[in-house]
Amino acid sequence: MKIINTINPETHPLTWRLQDNSQTLWIKEYQKKNGYVSAKKALQQFKPEEIISIIKESGLKGRGGAGFPTGVKWQLIQQNQSTSIKYLVCNADEMEPGTYKDRFLMERIPHLLIEGILISAFAIQAYRGYIFLRGEYIQAYKCLKQAINEAMKYGFLGKNILKSGFNFELFLHTGAGRYICGEETALMNALEGKRANPRAKPPFPGQVGIWGKPTCINNVETLCNIPAIIEHGVYWYRNITAGKSEDTGTKLMGFSGRVNNPGLWELPFGITAREILEDYAGNMQDGLTLKAWQPGGVSTDFLLKDHLDYPMDFKNITQAGSRLGTALAIAVDNKINMVSLTCNIEEFFSRESCGWCTPCRDGLPWIVKILRELEKKMGKSGDIELLEELCDIIGNPSATFCAHAPGAIEPLQSAIKYFRSEFESGITIIKTEKQSI
């Protein structure tokens, strides 16, 4: 096993401040470790448009899964001069099964998020911000609540912050625990007190957001990258990956499943999944072998052992046939039946559908019904072809309002592609016909 490099600010901007005792880093300790230095620099030395240019040049992409350039999103908000009222929303509704990176940041180093939010709000000139938090994250709620109070007490939130003339207030809002609230327009509806259904786009949130005003929505990990970029500069950030990847900066990556050391680590883009699995996660447990893996949550396509040497970044994982997603990979061992696993996944997505559009509302329960029959070895001839047809229909992004249904069928379509024999073994009629022949 390789020796993991010593954690320092220049190689691990997200995690170098963490305490060895696994406790939350509060404001006094955070300030001792250069906390809020970047916020002071941003508010006192830069104009908002200069900060946006820095973030654009840094190449920072959204860490929620979509990978949209953060600076471009900010610029769209800045260019919207229809009103002086603008909002910043932190999407902390982390409900992708197998993903817990945002919770880790919020529970262990909440002031890093608040500092990132402050700089971002100044850049787009938002006067009010919200952290939309997954309702089940009780500990994260307590940590953020205390950290916001501390930030207000120390003058990093409120009026005339750092004597810059900038006013900004931050609120913590807990959701009701729905997966669809991770979708930005459904999140906006939920924040307004409405049913969490997605909205049609365009208009995009940067044009018409919460309460009809331009709204910038960024993920927790995305915002936590902002202070280090302001502190160390664009050149440093673009070169952390040492030329291994087109993506810039670091990313919280990890492996779960029956590996010896499940967890997450801050790693540079371009590291391979094999390095993460073998050097950090300690490989599979004794007696087990890797059958398949998902790069970033259960809404990403399954990949095989042959794909472990692809660099972990947005472009290369797409070329391998899946998506980087949240970059917290899930290992599937050789003892797991793929029909049972995909049935479990599709039941989750079917339950979490908001029911707004027909392919998702009716298609996903139909898929679950077929998979349950296959799991009980009571499938019939044509079931697999029907599943593939449903995948084609439901997976068409133009057929649904949001990405819930297309994401839901990614694990199913890839499981059929790589493990078709396991689905065929669930069809009783085919076996009978073959035996009679």
Side-chain angles (χ1 to χ4, degrees):
M1 182 180 294
K2 290 182 180 178
I3 297 174
I4 300 173
N5 292 332
T6 303
I7 293 178
N8 66 65
E10 295 191 356
T11 58
H12 295 75
L14 296 175
T15 57
W16 72 273
R17 295 183 176 93
L18 295 177
Q19 303 191 108
D20 294 335
N21 59 9
S22 301
Q23 296 299 306
T24 304
L25 190 76
W26 299 114
I27 194 164
K28 288 184 178 178
E29 291 80 7
Y30 184 68
Q31 286 189 292
K32 288 178 182 176
K33 296 182 176 180
N34 289 343
Y36 290 105
V37 168
S38 297
K40 293 176 183 175
K41 184 177 180 180
L43 270 64
Q44 295 174 346
Q45 298 182 24
F46 293 126
K47 297 178 181 177
E49 55 269 26
E50 291 176 325
I51 297 174
I52 292 175
S53 295
I54 290 171
I55 300 304
K56 280 185 67 179
E57 291 175 17
S58 74
L60 174 65
K61 294 180 180 177
R63 302 296 199 247
F68 189 81
T70 304
V72 174
K73 180 180 285 188
W74 287 10
Q75 190 170 47
L76 294 173
I77 302 288
Q78 182 202 34
Q79 292 174 344
N80 189 337
Q81 299 297 323
S82 61
T83 175
S84 61
I85 299 176
K86 298 176 182 178
Y87 296 106
L88 175 70
V89 177
C90 171
N91 186 347
D93 194 67
E94 184 179 54
M95 203 171 164
E96 178 79 7
T99 300
Y100 42 92
K101 63 182 181 64
D102 291 343
R103 185 186 71 182
F104 176 83
L105 291 169
M106 292 185 288
E107 291 182 355
R108 296 291 300 279
I109 188 166
H111 281 286
L112 180 63
L113 174 60
I114 293 174
E115 185 175 11
I117 288 174
L118 173 59
I119 298 171
S120 307
F122 178 71
I124 65 170
Q125 291 292 284
Y127 89 105
R128 180 177 291 175
Y130 297 90
I131 299 175
F132 190 100
L133 180 68
R134 177 182 174 183
E136 291 90 341
Y137 278 2
I138 306 299
Q139 185 60 30
Y141 174 83
K142 294 177 180 176
C143 293
L144 287 171
K145 193 73 176 177
Q146 181 171 333
I148 289 172
N149 289 336
E150 288 183 338
M152 292 177 64
K153 181 179 178 181
Y154 279 71
F156 296 114
L157 294 173
K159 294 184 177 179
N160 193 24
I161 299 170
L162 301 170
K163 299 180 180 178
S164 65
F166 178 62
N167 306 322
F168 179 70
E169 52 185 355
L170 180 62
F171 296 94
L172 182 58
H173 178 94
T174 53
R178 291 304 309 275
Y179 180 79
I180 193 63
C181 288
E183 200 279 334
E184 60 182 8
T185 59
L187 182 155
M188 293 194 302
N189 273 346
L191 192 58
E192 291 179 353
K194 302 173 184 173
R195 181 173 172 174
N197 290 339
R199 301 177 184 177
K201 294 187 286 188
F204 295 95
Q207 300 167 304
V208 180
I210 53 175
W211 297 291
K213 305 300 181 184
T215 302
C216 181
I217 303 176
N218 287 132
N219 167 260
V220 171
E221 188 184 354
T222 309
L223 292 163
C224 287
N225 273 272
I226 303 301
I229 297 173
I230 298 299
E231 182 177 2
H232 298 293
V234 170
Y235 179 80
W236 160 79
Y237 194 74
R238 295 189 68 89
N239 286 280
I240 291 182
T241 50
K244 293 181 179 177
S245 170
E246 293 181 2
D247 293 322
T248 60
T250 59
K251 178 83 183 72
L252 292 180
M253 304 186 197
F255 255 100
S256 60
R258 290 199 278 186
V259 295
N260 284 307
N261 184 33
L264 60 83
W265 301 270
E266 184 180 7
L267 299 167
F269 277 112
I271 191 171
T272 66
R274 185 183 301 282
E275 290 176 283
I276 303 172
L277 177 63
E278 295 180 355
D279 299 342
Y280 293 87
N283 225 324
M284 303 300 293
Q285 295 176 8
D286 290 343
L288 299 174
T289 58
L290 183 70
K291 180 177 182 178
W293 59 287
Q294 291 176 293
V298 299
S299 66
T300 56
D301 289 83
F302 289 104
L303 295 175
L304 305 176
K305 285 182 182 179
D306 295 341
H307 301 112
L308 283 174
D309 292 315
Y310 276 82
M312 287 288 283
D313 61 24
F314 291 100
K315 180 180 178 181
N316 281 288
I317 294 301
T318 299
Q319 290 180 341
S322 187
R323 292 184 295 110
L324 183 68
T326 60
L328 263 66
I330 302 170
V332 179
D333 63 75
N334 58 305
K335 302 290 186 181
I336 294 177
N337 179 276
M338 298 304 292
V339 176
S340 297
L341 177 57
T342 52
C343 184
N344 187 38
I345 293 173
E346 298 308 321
E347 283 179 345
F348 169 80
F349 284 117
S350 176
R351 184 177 66 246
E352 292 299 327
S353 171
C354 74
W356 185 245
C357 48
T358 304
C360 190
R361 182 186 63 242
D362 294 343
L364 292 178
W366 194 359
I367 285 174
V368 170
K369 182 180 178 182
I370 295 171
L371 289 173
R372 283 174 178 165
E373 294 300 304
L374 291 173
E375 189 179 19
K376 293 185 290 188
K377 308 295 184 185
M378 296 175 63
K380 59 181 183 299
S381 180
D383 275 354
I384 299 174
E385 290 74 16
L386 181 55
L387 285 174
E388 290 176 320
E389 185 179 352
L390 287 169
C391 285
D392 289 339
I393 296 171
I394 300 172
N396 183 354
S398 63
T400 59
F401 259 85
C402 74
H404 181 89
I409 60 88
E410 285 188 28
L412 175 60
Q413 67 185 8
S414 54
I416 295 175
K417 175 183 176 182
Y418 292 124
F419 304 99
R420 192 180 187 93
S421 62
E422 294 187 28
F423 289 83
E424 290 175 341
S425 68
I427 299 176
T428 305
I429 295 176
I430 284 182
K431 287 182 178 178
T432 304
E433 288 174 348
K434 285 182 177 178
Q435 288 170 357
S436 64
I437 290 172

mmCIF file with all atom_site columns, all heavy atoms in Angstrom, residues 37 45 174 190 221 309 432:
data_model
loop_
_atom_site.group_PDB
_atom_site.id
_atom_site.type_symbol
_atom_site.label_atom_id
_atom_site.label_alt_id
_atom_site.label_comp_id
_atom_site.label_asym_id
_atom_site.label_entity_id
_atom_site.label_seq_id
_atom_site.pdbx_PDB_ins_code
_atom_site.Cartn_x
_atom_site.Cartn_y
_atom_site.Cartn_z
_atom_site.occupancy
_atom_site.B_iso_or_equiv
_atom_site.pdbx_formal_charge
_atom_site.auth_seq_id
_atom_site.auth_comp_id
_atom_site.auth_asym_id
_atom_site.auth_atom_id
_atom_site.pdbx_PDB_model_num
ATOM 1  N N   . VAL A 1 37  ? -9.358  34.545  6.344   1.00 0.00 ? 37  VAL A N   1
ATOM 2  C CA  . VAL A 1 37  ? -8.342  35.382  5.688   1.00 0.00 ? 37  VAL A CA  1
ATOM 3  C C   . VAL A 1 37  ? -8.735  35.651  4.231   1.00 0.00 ? 37  VAL A C   1
ATOM 4  O O   . VAL A 1 37  ? -8.605  36.767  3.728   1.00 0.00 ? 37  VAL A O   1
ATOM 5  C CB  . VAL A 1 37  ? -6.957  34.704  5.756   1.00 0.00 ? 37  VAL A CB  1
ATOM 6  C CG1 . VAL A 1 37  ? -5.961  35.408  4.836   1.00 0.00 ? 37  VAL A CG1 1
ATOM 7  C CG2 . VAL A 1 37  ? -6.435  34.708  7.188   1.00 0.00 ? 37  VAL A CG2 1
ATOM 8  N N   . GLN A 1 45  ? -10.066 43.742  -0.946  1.00 0.00 ? 45  GLN A N   1
ATOM 9  C CA  . GLN A 1 45  ? -9.100  43.988  -2.015  1.00 0.00 ? 45  GLN A CA  1
ATOM 10 C C   . GLN A 1 45  ? -9.666  43.825  -3.426  1.00 0.00 ? 45  GLN A C   1
ATOM 11 O O   . GLN A 1 45  ? -9.081  44.314  -4.384  1.00 0.00 ? 45  GLN A O   1
ATOM 12 C CB  . GLN A 1 45  ? -7.890  43.047  -1.858  1.00 0.00 ? 45  GLN A CB  1
ATOM 13 C CG  . GLN A 1 45  ? -7.119  43.235  -0.569  1.00 0.00 ? 45  GLN A CG  1
ATOM 14 C CD  . GLN A 1 45  ? -5.909  42.318  -0.492  1.00 0.00 ? 45  GLN A CD  1
ATOM 15 O OE1 . GLN A 1 45  ? -5.375  41.862  -1.500  1.00 0.00 ? 45  GLN A OE1 1
ATOM 16 N NE2 . GLN A 1 45  ? -5.465  42.033  0.723   1.00 0.00 ? 45  GLN A NE2 1
ATOM 17 N N   . THR A 1 174 ? -34.110 23.506  6.850   1.00 0.00 ? 174 THR A N   1
ATOM 18 C CA  . THR A 1 174 ? -34.080 22.055  6.705   1.00 0.00 ? 174 THR A CA  1
ATOM 19 C C   . THR A 1 174 ? -35.232 21.588  5.828   1.00 0.00 ? 174 THR A C   1
ATOM 20 O O   . THR A 1 174 ? -36.367 22.046  5.974   1.00 0.00 ? 174 THR A O   1
ATOM 21 C CB  . THR A 1 174 ? -34.186 21.356  8.080   1.00 0.00 ? 174 THR A CB  1
ATOM 22 O OG1 . THR A 1 174 ? -35.323 21.858  8.775   1.00 0.00 ? 174 THR A OG1 1
ATOM 23 C CG2 . THR A 1 174 ? -32.935 21.613  8.901   1.00 0.00 ? 174 THR A CG2 1
ATOM 24 N N   . ALA A 1 190 ? -39.521 23.982  -2.801  1.00 0.00 ? 190 ALA A N   1
ATOM 25 C CA  . ALA A 1 190 ? -39.582 23.575  -1.397  1.00 0.00 ? 190 ALA A CA  1
ATOM 26 C C   . ALA A 1 190 ? -39.227 24.743  -0.475  1.00 0.00 ? 190 ALA A C   1
ATOM 27 O O   . ALA A 1 190 ? -39.850 24.929  0.573   1.00 0.00 ? 190 ALA A O   1
ATOM 28 C CB  . ALA A 1 190 ? -38.639 22.398  -1.151  1.00 0.00 ? 190 ALA A CB  1
ATOM 29 N N   . GLU A 1 221 ? -19.689 21.303  -1.348  1.00 0.00 ? 221 GLU A N   1
ATOM 30 C CA  . GLU A 1 221 ? -18.266 21.105  -1.644  1.00 0.00 ? 221 GLU A CA  1
ATOM 31 C C   . GLU A 1 221 ? -17.760 22.173  -2.614  1.00 0.00 ? 221 GLU A C   1
ATOM 32 O O   . GLU A 1 221 ? -16.612 22.624  -2.504  1.00 0.00 ? 221 GLU A O   1
ATOM 33 C CB  . GLU A 1 221 ? -18.020 19.706  -2.225  1.00 0.00 ? 221 GLU A CB  1
ATOM 34 C CG  . GLU A 1 221 ? -16.534 19.375  -2.363  1.00 0.00 ? 221 GLU A CG  1
ATOM 35 C CD  . GLU A 1 221 ? -16.280 18.032  -3.020  1.00 0.00 ? 221 GLU A CD  1
ATOM 36 O OE1 . GLU A 1 221 ? -17.248 17.290  -3.273  1.00 0.00 ? 221 GLU A OE1 1
ATOM 37 O OE2 . GLU A 1 221 ? -15.102 17.730  -3.298  1.00 0.00 ? 221 GLU A OE2 1
ATOM 38 N N   . ASP A 1 309 ? -8.776  1.677   -14.223 1.00 0.00 ? 309 ASP A N   1
ATOM 39 C CA  . ASP A 1 309 ? -7.599  2.499   -14.515 1.00 0.00 ? 309 ASP A CA  1
ATOM 40 C C   . ASP A 1 309 ? -7.934  3.812   -15.227 1.00 0.00 ? 309 ASP A C   1
ATOM 41 O O   . ASP A 1 309 ? -7.026  4.557   -15.615 1.00 0.00 ? 309 ASP A O   1
ATOM 42 C CB  . ASP A 1 309 ? -6.594  1.691   -15.347 1.00 0.00 ? 309 ASP A CB  1
ATOM 43 C CG  . ASP A 1 309 ? -5.992  0.557   -14.531 1.00 0.00 ? 309 ASP A CG  1
ATOM 44 O OD1 . ASP A 1 309 ? -5.614  0.809   -13.370 1.00 0.00 ? 309 ASP A OD1 1
ATOM 45 O OD2 . ASP A 1 309 ? -5.929  -0.573  -15.044 1.00 0.00 ? 309 ASP A OD2 1
ATOM 46 N N   . THR A 1 432 ? -38.039 -23.316 -19.547 1.00 0.00 ? 432 THR A N   1
ATOM 47 C CA  . THR A 1 432 ? -38.954 -24.407 -19.899 1.00 0.00 ? 432 THR A CA  1
ATOM 48 C C   . THR A 1 432 ? -38.938 -24.659 -21.382 1.00 0.00 ? 432 THR A C   1
ATOM 49 O O   . THR A 1 432 ? -38.873 -25.798 -21.847 1.00 0.00 ? 432 THR A O   1
ATOM 50 C CB  . THR A 1 432 ? -40.385 -24.051 -19.459 1.00 0.00 ? 432 THR A CB  1
ATOM 51 O OG1 . THR A 1 432 ? -40.366 -23.777 -18.060 1.00 0.00 ? 432 THR A OG1 1
ATOM 52 C CG2 . THR A 1 432 ? -41.331 -25.194 -19.754 1.00 0.00 ? 432 THR A CG2 1
#
